[in-house]
Amino acid sequence: MRIIYIIILSSLFMSCNVKSPNYQDEKLKKYFQDQWEQTLENYPEFATYLGDHRYNDRLTDMSIETVLKLHIQTKESYKEILAINRTSLSSEYKLYFDLYADKLQKEIERQQFKEYLMPINQMGGIQINAPNLVDISPFNTHDDYKNYIQRLNGFSVKIDQVITLMKMGIEEKIMPPQIVLASVPEQIKKQSSYPINESPFFKPFHNFPEDFNDGLKQSLIDEGKKVVLSTIFPAFKRLENFFSNEYLPNARKNIAISSLPNGKDYYQFLVKDYTTTSLSIQEIHDTGLAEVDRIHTEMEKIITSVEFKGSFNEFLEYLRDDPRFYYDDAENLLDGYRVICKKVDAELPKYFMTLPRTPYGVKPIPEYQAPASPTAYYYGPSSDGKRAGYFWANTYQLNTRPKYEMAVLALHEAVPGHHLQIALANELENVPEFRKHAGYTAYVEGWALYAESLGEDMGMYRDPYDKFGQLTYEMWRACRLVIDTGIHAYGWSRTQAIDYLLLNAAKTTHDAEVEIDRYIVWPGQALAYKIGELKIKELKKQTKEKFKDEFDIRAFHHIILKDGAVPLNILEKKILDYIDSK
């Protein structure tokens, strides 16, 4: 009996030891929960985007007082996490600790550059983000509409806050370059010049849930018209007047970020932050030049295979000018993308162990945004599973959207690129929320660029022109390494940058101009694609050399994707640990 009692007691003791939570892990878990809740409350539009609708009646406070208050909050959060005993954490929570502490440290370092004084450019700002709220907001109940109307009422204050920040930017000479802001007045003007029934802000009042009676519908229509006409339109007219008459004339003339106060340090910071490496600017520039040469050789092989009689530049002009490479109807272009995506879907199980549960679709970029937008971009799904992910395609000037780029673009923006990776991260379980939405650009964009190369084995590049399109996109990313560093560190002009891209890639002139303007206002971001892709390909080569005939592409991709986005050094450690474990 005593022996049985001892055995039972020992079993209970062992069970308690096994199930007892790590106190420091639990403390850090609580810290992450509190931090996440604070983030959602501080940035209510982001909460809506994720599918958390508790703050759907609010807008982000962009007053300078709140901006500075959040800076202090970040410093306090950093002190708080450092007070947690890292050595007592489990290995999993040590990683979470390191990633979050590094994130906060970078946010604190970023504060000195005062980028909040540049809240608007041709790529983004309230003139683009505000109408997009319609696409991420629910409209299923009376309260949904009331929240939306409350939000619309808040835009008058928010636009005044944005104007105040820009006025401070003029005083401190922290502004985007004038040359890239030329399209912004028209973007702003669009938001106040639509007929009321065509305004993006009024879109939810055209269709109501079936259970709304006629009286409720009419009441909401009246409220919607009133707030759009009396608040939205006047606020955007106020913004347009300030931007055109005060902001644009005072914008800086030099396009390099190094021309800003503390600009050289700012660029160094951005390069390190976006690439998650310690590569020097010169190393990145030289890598770009080498990649341009390598890809150029591959492109010449394609030109030879199609028996084109002429120079490389003449072949590029042929691709830009021949109407057979272009659609003349926007819906046909969008349907073309949808067909490609459907074909890729069927190939995915051969390359991936786990596929996302969340679906995705293809949409056109809104017309007010399209002229200054890139060829495409991706919006992720909501965390509650009620909104799909979307590949947004640009249908502006169809004669600049060649068919031979469509397969590679779909692979990048949808599957197996952004949608597959981001939706899988969004569906991670038993991890802190910040891990699901980590935005390490070198990983996220590096993966999407790597995904383009998978189209070869998937049979998505059906003819030499499709393959040339894939090489064009790879060349485009290689050129970015040269151009971004050229503009912001080596004194390149906008014309010089456009000419370099047109010389090496089969991009149309309009596309090239939009791209260069993007690099000008988004320094360092364009470097992340090629740096991330090269790292993934390097790790794939190492794994193949180790396993030889036993190399499993599905297992390799699983290790890359299973924990969400991480810095490149941690990604490398994951793959090396995988190799060692085998």
Side-chain angles (χ1 to χ4, degrees):
M1 185 70 182
R2 183 170 178 271
I3 293 173
I4 294 173
Y5 177 78
I6 291 172
I7 290 172
I8 293 172
L9 191 62
S10 299
S11 299
L12 286 171
F13 180 74
M14 290 173 66
S15 175
C16 287
N17 278 345
V18 170
K19 293 183 179 179
S20 176
N22 180 317
Y23 171 72
Q24 292 298 325
D25 278 10
E26 290 300 310
K27 186 177 179 181
L28 185 58
K29 183 178 180 181
K30 175 67 167 57
Y31 168 85
F32 287 144
Q33 289 170 343
D34 292 343
Q35 288 285 298
W36 187 249
E37 283 299 317
Q38 193 67 64
T39 298
L40 297 179
E41 191 171 352
N42 289 339
Y43 303 100
E45 296 96 330
F46 177 59
T48 303
Y49 174 79
L50 295 178
D52 187 327
H53 302 303
R54 289 174 294 165
Y55 310 108
N56 279 10
D57 60 338
R58 308 180 201 175
L59 296 171
T60 299
D61 187 344
M62 294 184 67
S63 66
I64 185 61
E65 294 81 11
T66 297
V67 169
L68 298 179
K69 184 182 79 173
L70 292 179
H71 286 180
I72 294 170
Q73 194 176 92
T74 301
K75 291 173 182 175
E76 290 173 348
S77 296
Y78 186 55
K79 290 178 185 177
E80 193 177 340
I81 194 172
L82 293 184
I84 294 173
N85 185 355
R86 183 187 181 281
T87 57
S88 299
L89 295 170
S90 65
S91 58
E92 189 176 25
Y93 271 82
K94 279 178 181 172
L95 174 61
Y96 300 155
F97 178 102
D98 292 342
L99 291 174
Y100 204 80
D102 181 65
K103 170 182 172 290
L104 292 174
Q105 190 176 33
K106 284 192 171 71
E107 286 180 13
I108 292 167
E109 187 178 353
R110 185 186 291 271
Q111 291 173 8
Q112 66 183 301
F113 304 116
K114 298 184 178 181
E115 58 191 16
Y116 55 87
L117 297 182
M118 296 186 288
I120 285 182
N121 57 51
Q122 85 283 9
M123 294 286 296
I126 198 165
Q127 81 284 6
I128 289 172
N129 301 332
N132 285 345
L133 267 177
V134 174
D135 292 306
I136 62 172
S137 300
F139 294 97
N140 303 313
T141 68
H142 188 193
D143 283 345
D144 288 340
Y145 279 87
K146 285 293 184 182
N147 287 336
Y148 178 67
I149 290 168
Q150 185 68 21
R151 254 187 180 158
L152 293 185
N153 274 310
F155 273 110
S156 182
V157 171
K158 185 164 181 174
I159 282 177
D160 287 340
Q161 291 171 344
V162 168
I163 290 172
T164 298
L165 293 177
M166 290 194 289
K167 285 180 177 178
M168 293 176 65
I170 294 174
E171 292 172 7
E172 299 195 35
K173 301 188 185 306
I174 299 177
M175 306 177 70
Q178 189 178 72
I179 196 167
V180 301
L181 296 180
S183 61
V184 175
E186 184 59 29
Q187 290 175 344
I188 300 171
K189 185 178 180 180
K190 275 275 187 182
Q191 303 311 332
S192 63
S193 59
Y194 287 105
I196 180 66
N197 287 327
E198 295 176 21
S199 168
F201 294 100
F202 192 72
K203 183 179 175 183
F205 301 97
H206 290 299
N207 297 293
F208 294 96
E210 291 181 3
D211 61 341
F212 282 26
N213 62 48
D214 290 343
L216 177 57
K217 290 178 186 177
Q218 191 58 53
S219 173
L220 291 174
I221 288 171
D222 292 343
E223 283 189 78
K225 282 186 177 179
K226 181 180 178 182
V227 72
V228 173
L229 290 170
S230 65
T231 300
I232 296 296
F233 285 1
F236 275 101
K237 285 176 181 175
R238 201 158 61 245
L239 179 61
E240 180 200 348
N241 181 62
F242 167 77
F243 196 96
S244 299
N245 297 326
E246 294 185 50
Y247 196 70
L248 188 58
N250 285 292
R252 61 185 162 101
K253 306 303 185 288
N254 191 314
I255 63 173
I257 195 73
S258 55
S259 66
L260 288 176
N262 208 14
K264 289 184 179 179
D265 290 341
Y266 187 21
Y267 188 54
Q268 290 278 3
F269 168 81
L270 292 171
V271 169
K272 185 176 181 179
D273 187 40
Y274 278 121
T275 67
T276 67
T277 71
S278 297
L279 292 170
S280 70
I281 291 171
Q282 189 63 55
E283 285 174 318
I284 292 172
H285 190 83
D286 291 343
T287 298
L289 292 171
E291 280 292 282
V292 167
D293 288 344
R294 178 188 66 78
I295 299 164
H296 189 90
T297 300
E298 294 298 313
M299 295 173 102
E300 289 284 6
K301 292 177 184 176
I302 298 290
I303 295 171
T304 301
S305 74
V306 298
E307 300 181 350
F308 181 81
K309 307 302 180 185
S311 67
F312 181 80
N313 285 338
E314 287 171 335
F315 185 70
L316 297 189
E317 287 303 317
Y318 160 64
L319 293 180
R320 291 172 187 138
D321 296 340
D322 194 317
R324 76 186 179 102
F325 292 121
Y326 300 88
Y327 284 107
D328 55 11
D329 179 81
E331 274 305 312
N332 288 341
L333 176 71
L334 295 172
D335 286 342
Y337 279 125
R338 291 173 183 130
V339 169
I340 293 168
C341 289
K342 195 65 179 173
K343 288 180 178 177
V344 179
D345 284 342
E347 297 297 315
L348 295 179
K350 299 176 187 176
Y351 299 89
F352 299 95
M353 288 183 174
T354 307
L355 298 176
R357 300 185 298 272
T358 312
Y360 67 96
V362 180
K363 280 187 176 183
I365 292 174
E367 63 169 10
Y368 58 83
Q369 189 178 339
S373 288
T375 311
Y377 54 78
Y378 172 76
Y379 266 20
S382 61
S383 296
D384 61 3
K386 294 182 179 178
R387 188 188 71 248
Y390 279 100
F391 159 23
W392 294 77
N394 202 329
T395 58
Y396 175 74
Q397 289 191 358
L398 290 172
N399 62 344
T400 67
R401 316 293 172 197
K403 295 177 182 178
Y404 55 80
E405 290 182 357
M406 292 175 66
V408 66
L409 190 60
L411 289 162
H412 182 103
E413 301 294 347
V415 289
H418 282 323
H419 177 71
L420 187 143
Q421 181 266 309
I422 290 171
L424 280 177
N426 203 30
E427 294 168 10
L428 287 173
E429 297 178 351
N430 302 316
V431 300
E433 283 295 320
F434 84 92
R435 289 295 305 124
K436 297 180 183 181
H437 311 288
Y440 297 102
T441 311
Y443 175 100
V444 173
E445 295 294 355
W447 169 261
L449 180 50
Y450 164 78
E452 295 175 13
S453 68
L454 297 177
E456 185 81 54
D457 292 336
M458 289 181 175
M460 299 311 299
Y461 304 133
R462 299 165 302 168
D463 59 38
Y465 295 103
D466 286 340
K467 178 61 181 176
F468 197 87
Q470 187 250 320
L471 291 172
T472 292
Y473 267 56
E474 194 178 2
M475 174 67 88
W476 173 25
R477 277 47 168 266
C479 287
R480 287 176 174 182
L481 301 185
V482 182
I483 293 169
D484 195 286
T485 52
I487 289 171
H488 298 293
Y490 301 130
W492 281 31
S493 68
R494 180 175 181 269
T495 300
Q496 187 178 356
I498 291 169
D499 288 347
Y500 185 84
L501 188 56
L502 290 174
L503 180 66
N504 289 290
K507 304 296 288 179
T508 62
T509 301
H510 172 77
D511 243 5
E513 290 171 349
V514 169
E515 282 301 312
I516 298 308
D517 289 346
R518 169 187 169 180
Y519 311 153
I520 290 171
V521 300
W522 211 350
Q525 193 269 355
L527 307 176
Y529 297 64
K530 204 60 168 116
I531 298 300
E533 179 229 18
L534 290 173
K535 175 55 70 175
I536 294 172
K537 285 187 172 179
E538 173 195 322
L539 296 173
K540 186 176 185 179
K541 181 181 178 183
Q542 284 181 257
T543 312
K544 276 187 167 182
E545 288 173 350
K546 179 70 175 179
F547 294 135
K548 298 183 172 58
D549 292 341
E550 295 182 7
F551 173 74
D552 184 346
I553 187 66
R554 296 171 82 242
F556 174 76
H557 288 158
H558 184 67
I559 300 300
I560 294 282
L561 294 168
K562 71 184 183 71
D563 299 313
V566 292
L568 295 183
N569 63 316
I570 291 176
L571 181 64
E572 182 170 28
K573 184 178 185 304
K574 283 176 57 180
I575 293 298
L576 295 180
D577 286 347
Y578 166 67
I579 292 173
D580 290 343
S581 72
K582 293 293 183 179

